[in-house]
Amino acid sequence: MAVTIREVAIEAGVSTSTVSKVLNHWSSISPETCARVQEAIEKLHYTPNARAVSFARGTTKNIIFLSSLQKEEAYHNPHMFDILCGVRKKLSSQGYTLMLEDVPEDSSRSDYLKELVSSRIADGILIHGSSNIPGMAKILLETNFPHIYIGHPGPGSRICWIDTNNGLAGQFAAQHMLECHYEKVAFIAESAANHISMQRLNGFLGGMYEYGYRIPDNYIRHTDASREDAYRQTKELLDLKEPPRAIICENNALALGTSKALSEYGLKIPEEIAFLTFDSYPYSALIEPDPTIIDIDVYDLGVQAAVMLLRKLENPLLLVQSYTTLPVLRQGHSTCKIP
C-alpha cells in the first residue's frame, strides 16, 4: 500500500501542509524542518504523486469527502455510500479526483479539520453529516475554504449546506395515507434526539393536521432504533383498545420489526392493517409483502452536492443553503385504497 503524505507528516512530527511546502521548495521552511521531512521521506520510501507536488502551486483538481468511516459504518449509515457514488460521478466528469477521509474517533476532530483545510491538499471539501465536528462552522468560515455540508447544520448556520427535505417526506406519507382513506395512523420513530426521525414525524403530523386529523399521543412511538424495539412497540399498538388501521415506520430497519409483529398477529396486509416505510435500502427487499415506500434518491443528493461545490469554486462568495431531491412514493402491496 502506498505511503501517504499524512504518514510522512506523522513520522517527521509536522503537519501535512509543511510536508507539501518542503516538496514544493518553500523558502519559509527552516533547514532543520526540511531535513526532518526529507529523512522521513527516505525512511518511508515515499514517492510524491502529481497531486501532492502540485497542490501548493494552485488548483489541485482534488476534492475531500470527509465522513465517519468506523467499523460497521455501512450498517449505521447505509446511505452514505450512495451519496459518495453520486459525488464521485459528478466530480470525475469534470476532471476532479476525490479523496475520502475519515474523522478521528477522539477529541481531535476540530484539529484534524483545521489541518485538512490549511494543508491545501484539495480545492474544496464535502462534509457528510455523520462527521460531527465541534467548531466546524467557525473553521470553515474563518478560512473561507470552499465547502458543502451534506445535511442540515441547524438553524442560523452561515455555512453552505445541502440536504433532503425529510419534513416533506413525512407530509408525503400523510398524504398517501389519507388518499387511501386511512385516518387512524400510528407512527413508529427512532428517539426524539434523532434529527431525521423527528423531521419525518413532524412532517407527518403536520400533514395529517392540515386535513383536520390529530394523531393521538399513544399512536406515536419512539424506539431505541432497533427492530426488536419496533416489534415490541407494534405489539403494544395492536393491543390498544382502538388499534391503528395503518402504521408508518420511520425507516426500514424499524419496518422489519413491525412486519414481524403483524405476521405473528395473523393480520392480512393491507386488508386488515396497512403499513408504510421510508427508504428503499437496505432492508425493504426483505419485507413481505413488499412495502409501500417514501423514497429519496440519495445518489442524486451526492450529485447535487458536487454540483454546488463546483459552483462554489467558481464563485467563492456564493452562499448555498438549500433542500434538493424530492421524495418519491413507491407503491407496494402494504397499502391500498379502501372504500
Side-chain angles (χ1 to χ4, degrees), residues 5 16 19-26 41 46-60 119-121:
I5 192 172
T16 53
V19 175
S20 170
K21 290 172 183 177
V22 171
L23 291 171
N24 287 278
H25 310 293
W26 281 40
I41 289 172
Y46 172 68
T47 303
N49 57 28
R51 183 176 65 212
V53 174
S54 67
F55 76 82
R57 301 171 184 166
T59 181
T60 67
S119 67
R120 296 289 169 175
I121 58 176

Side-chain angles (χ1 to χ4, degrees), residues 103-296:
V103 290
E105 294 185 68
D106 54 29
S107 59
S108 64
R109 293 185 172 206
S110 296
D111 292 337
Y112 183 58
L113 178 60
K114 288 178 183 177
E115 184 177 323
L116 281 179
V117 169
S118 64
S119 67
R120 296 289 169 175
I121 58 176
D123 299 331
I125 187 168
L126 291 156
I127 303 176
H128 188 265
S130 63
S131 300
N132 190 24
I133 301 172
M136 174 183 66
K138 186 173 185 289
I139 296 169
L140 295 174
L141 293 172
E142 286 183 352
T143 59
N144 198 31
F145 193 65
H147 65 274
I148 296 290
Y149 181 79
I150 304 175
H152 198 297
S157 178
R158 293 187 293 127
I159 67 171
C160 294
W161 58 267
I162 187 170
D163 195 12
T164 58
N165 194 331
N166 287 293
L168 183 60
Q171 293 178 37
F172 274 37
Q175 180 181 346
H176 177 70
M177 287 301 185
L178 293 176
E179 288 176 349
C180 291
H181 305 139
Y182 304 127
E183 300 171 3
K184 297 166 63 176
V185 185
F187 195 104
I188 298 178
E190 292 196 8
S191 73
N194 185 287
H195 182 63
I196 292 177
S197 186
M198 291 306 297
Q199 282 185 320
R200 290 175 173 178
L201 172 58
N202 290 332
F204 162 72
L205 294 175
M208 297 295 287
Y209 185 78
E210 185 178 351
Y211 287 92
Y213 296 97
R214 182 185 179 279
I215 303 301
D217 291 342
N218 62 352
Y219 274 20
I220 301 170
R221 301 295 175 123
H222 292 281
T223 70
D224 61 8
S226 69
R227 63 180 181 180
E228 291 78 15
D229 201 13
Y231 167 77
R232 181 179 64 83
Q233 297 283 2
T234 302
K235 291 177 67 176
E236 289 185 9
L237 286 169
L238 298 176
D239 289 338
L240 291 174
K241 185 177 180 180
E242 294 186 17
R245 177 62 180 83
I247 298 174
I248 294 176
C249 295
E250 187 272 323
N251 63 54
N252 50 66
L254 300 178
L256 285 173
T258 293
S259 175
K260 179 181 177 182
L262 298 181
S263 177
E264 287 187 5
Y265 273 64
L267 295 170
K268 294 180 180 179
I269 303 170
E271 292 84 0
E272 295 177 311
I273 190 165
F275 75 93
L276 174 149
T277 187
F278 293 83
D279 306 326
S280 293
Y281 298 102
Y283 303 118
S284 294
L286 304 178
I287 300 172
E288 294 183 358
D290 57 302
T292 298
I293 298 166
I294 302 294
D295 197 23
I296 296 175

Side-chain angles (χ1 to χ4, degrees), residues 280-337:
S280 293
Y281 298 102
Y283 303 118
S284 294
L286 304 178
I287 300 172
E288 294 183 358
D290 57 302
T292 298
I293 298 166
I294 302 294
D295 197 23
I296 296 175
D297 186 350
V298 290
Y299 180 92
D300 182 66
L301 175 62
V303 171
Q304 297 306 319
V307 168
M308 293 302 178
L309 183 57
L310 292 174
R311 289 183 58 193
K312 181 76 174 173
L313 293 176
E314 293 177 357
N315 180 7
L317 298 179
L318 180 67
L319 179 63
V320 179
Q321 294 185 338
S322 66
Y323 290 110
T324 185
T325 311
L326 289 174
V328 175
L329 174 73
R330 304 194 186 282
Q331 181 68 56
H333 293 101
S334 65
T335 62
C336 68
K337 290 187 177 180

